[in-house]
Amino acid sequence: MKILFIGDIYGKPGVDYVLEKIDFLRKTYHPNLIVANAENAKDGRGLTKNIYKQLMKAGVSLLTMGNHTWKNKELETFIDEANIIRPINDGSNKGVGYKVIQYNDKKILFINALGKAYMNEVYDSPFLMVKEILDKETYDYSFLDFHAEASAEKVAMGHFLDGKLDCLVGTHTHVQTNDNRILPKGLMYITDVGMTGPLNGVIGVEKDIIINKFVYGESKPNEVASGPRQLNAVLVSFVPKREIIKIHLEE
């Protein structure tokens, strides 16, 4: 069993690059399932039905979300029937926070959760919520997209679930980390998968907007950066050998 997980798809550059590279990824890595985080797919904030359909048609099996899940209201009109999971602890009564997907004779449990540190302290704590789902559901493999800002919170979640969860991938910070590894009790882990979209922006945004915000305190609406693109992902193998491999493509 192999799962290809594509990191935060950011804006049209990210969507287009996934659509252009997905056949290459499939032929190169031979995943059984392809999953992607799409909370930034529409101009960096949310997801539309058209983008959802494009990604499904291309062969993505499931989309995960994050803190921008509801920034595009169109999602509310189709999430209940879609192959999408939103964070279990975002307080929403629309959609679901986890799904069990059947692949041949195996069941894979996918969970999406939000971190609290440096994000939104009103979120419910995800730690015990994730454990409760793991304890009550029936599955062969389990996979968590932990959408969180603080690396410490992600590392802590990994150790908390080590021996209970099969794989934890971190999303949200848009920079691929160099700590893909197997934890002592077998959990496959990476703090952040990285983003898919503009290469030379600031985590997806036109760089001058963010630079001027830091240097001069200017406040302007974010714009998706133009120019070369990147794709960041991981390939997670459950059998015969546990392995989590980083993938990075760029123009």
Side-chain angles (χ1 to χ4, degrees), residues 24-239:
F24 167 80
L25 292 168
R26 188 181 289 111
K27 292 174 183 177
T28 302
Y29 297 102
H30 308 289
N32 300 106
L33 295 170
I34 300 175
V35 181
N37 184 289
E39 68 127 16
N40 300 131
K42 176 57 177 174
D43 300 328
R45 297 170 73 83
L47 176 67
T48 64
K49 191 169 187 177
N50 181 55
I51 294 172
Y52 169 76
K53 287 182 174 180
Q54 290 181 67
L55 294 170
M56 292 293 112
K57 184 178 180 181
V60 177
S61 299
L62 180 71
L63 297 178
T64 61
M65 300 297 285
N67 58 305
H68 290 310
T69 299
W70 307 111
K71 295 297 174 63
N72 191 304
K73 297 299 181 182
E74 185 181 358
L75 181 61
E76 298 180 11
T77 68
F78 69 93
I79 191 172
D80 288 332
E81 293 78 39
N83 294 324
I84 298 172
I85 53 174
R86 47 83 180 161
I88 55 173
N89 57 328
D90 72 354
S92 174
N93 59 6
K94 291 184 178 293
V96 294
Y98 67 94
K99 282 181 182 287
V100 176
I101 294 181
Q102 180 94 28
Y103 185 87
N104 292 335
D105 62 339
K106 300 298 182 183
K107 293 182 177 180
I108 306 96
L109 170 64
F110 290 94
I111 309 172
N112 193 193
L114 281 169
K116 293 184 65 171
Y118 308 113
M119 293 186 72
N120 188 335
E121 292 295 333
V122 304
Y123 294 146
D124 290 331
S125 175
F127 285 76
L128 294 178
M129 293 180 72
V130 172
K131 183 178 181 299
E132 181 180 356
I133 293 167
L134 292 170
D135 289 343
K136 74 179 183 180
E137 292 297 324
T138 301
Y139 51 88
D140 296 289
Y141 307 112
S142 53
F143 190 107
L144 169 65
D145 173 0
F146 191 29
H147 197 81
E149 180 76 24
S151 57
E153 189 175 14
K154 296 177 186 179
V155 173
M157 179 69 88
H159 286 297
F160 176 70
L161 296 176
D162 192 15
K164 306 176 184 71
L165 178 75
D166 289 301
C167 180
L168 186 160
V169 298
T171 57
H172 179 66
T173 58
H174 290 196
V175 177
Q176 190 177 74
T177 55
N178 196 34
D179 61 343
N180 51 307
R181 66 188 184 110
I182 311 297
L183 296 187
K185 297 179 183 178
L187 184 147
M188 292 175 282
Y189 175 89
I190 187 170
T191 295
D192 205 281
V193 177
M195 66 167 284
T196 296
L199 176 65
N200 292 326
V202 176
I203 61 173
V205 181
E206 281 287 356
K207 61 181 180 296
D208 288 343
I209 293 174
I210 304 301
I211 291 169
N212 289 337
K213 183 181 294 186
F214 282 122
V215 177
Y216 304 112
E218 293 182 2
S219 181
K220 292 183 178 180
N222 287 347
E223 297 177 16
V224 179
S226 56
R229 300 166 298 175
Q230 63 178 316
L231 184 149
N232 288 290
V234 291
L235 183 70
V236 178
S237 301
F238 295 88
V239 290

